Amino acid sequence: MGKVAAAGAGLVVVIMLFIGGGAIAVVQAVFGSSSSAGGGMNCAPAGASATSAAGYGPQEMGNAATIVAVGKRMNVPEQGWVVAVAAALTESRLQNLNYGDRDSVGLFQQRPSQGWGTVAQIMDPAYSSEQFYRHLLALPNWQNMPVTVAAQTVQRSGFPDRYAKFEPTARQIVGAIQGATCTTNATTGGWTTPTSGTCTSRFGYRGNEFHKGLDIAAPIGTPILAANSGTVISSGPASGYGLWVRIQHADGIVTIYGHNDHNLVREGQLVQAGQPIAAVGNRGAATGAHLHLQIEANGQPVDPVEFYRQRGGQLCR
């Protein structure tokens, strides 16, 4: 799942868990937008009296708050929050475990050997939450699936029916969260990984041709996220790229996302870091499904891998 952080001292989103008279008030979850998931973002119940919900304590509820905050930032509907929390309840009882079956770790017991990320990345609750949502959003018609089916399709558990029993508790927990105190460490200046996949062709010469970007292979329909906040300056057909999105950011930086299957944003639209803007495709001069990520600084293409490395991020494993 992807990595980000807020610049400066960090972004704070105010949240609280409302629990009174031994019962949990069912409220609409409302969050401010953070710059992106990952990068050490963690959320915690506000107030000493917010000690438990549905039998889970502050640590578990803090992890649940992080899951929901990431979902909110990614514009995932509330049903998706329930699916994610139910999956984490099933896999780890909302504990960020550093062990599991084979090489499984973290809230969702994701496996580094299966391409979910490094152990350090997966152990970041915001990163693992974002990865879960990316896979969920890639499922056609997921919102109309039963919670247990959606969770199983993402997780591919050997016990596909076990998610169902945690659905009522997941809905109770999601309903109890009106907010959380969320902070991010200032490490990447707001830059987040635009999609999950395998780096196949890097920046530089390919024979006699100079490749101006980085190719990240992923299945058609995999969500593409805005690498940082900015303004969409192009969204539509483009020679060679098939279908692209171009975003203008601060400091003369422009990001380009090419070969898209379809776009979700329009020219002139303001977007936030981590916001879904398109889906991976194989349009244009492409030999397979992938994202062509191109980063330009003052009109000149730069190496995306090095660009992220200088900001404490990682695009390719």
Side-chain angles (χ1 to χ4, degrees), residues 72-123:
K72 179 66 175 180
R73 180 197 53 75
M74 293 177 66
N75 297 316
V76 178
E78 186 172 333
Q79 176 70 359
W81 311 346
V82 173
V83 175
V85 172
L89 281 167
T90 305
E91 298 294 342
S92 70
R93 300 300 193 271
L94 285 173
Q95 297 175 35
N96 196 28
L97 303 176
N98 61 2
Y99 61 89
D101 178 51
R102 286 169 283 190
D103 58 337
S104 300
V105 294
L107 287 177
F108 297 93
Q109 290 291 280
Q110 295 157 343
R111 298 179 61 191
S113 64
Q114 300 301 308
W116 288 96
T118 65
V119 171
Q121 288 174 325
I122 296 171
M123 288 299 295

Side-chain angles (χ1 to χ4, degrees), residues 276-298:
I277 58 170
V280 170
N282 61 353
R283 295 175 180 268
T287 57
H290 71 277
L291 164 66
H292 171 87
L293 173 65
Q294 189 169 321
I295 301 178
E296 297 179 348
N298 298 315

Side-chain angles (χ1 to χ4, degrees), residues 142-166:
W142 69 266
Q143 293 187 64
N144 294 322
M145 295 179 181
V147 167
T148 188
V149 174
Q152 167 61 13
T153 305
V154 172
Q155 293 292 113
R156 300 178 184 177
S157 167
F159 304 94
D161 299 325
R162 61 181 182 161
Y163 299 101
K165 72 175 184 178
F166 287 98

Side-chain angles (χ1 to χ4, degrees), residues 226-233 246-250 253 255 268-273 275:
N228 209 334
S229 301
T231 302
V232 177
I233 53 177
R246 296 173 66 237
I247 300 176
Q248 176 73 61
H249 308 281
I253 303 297
T255 53
Q269 181 176 341
L270 298 176
V271 295
Q272 299 298 315
Q275 178 177 332

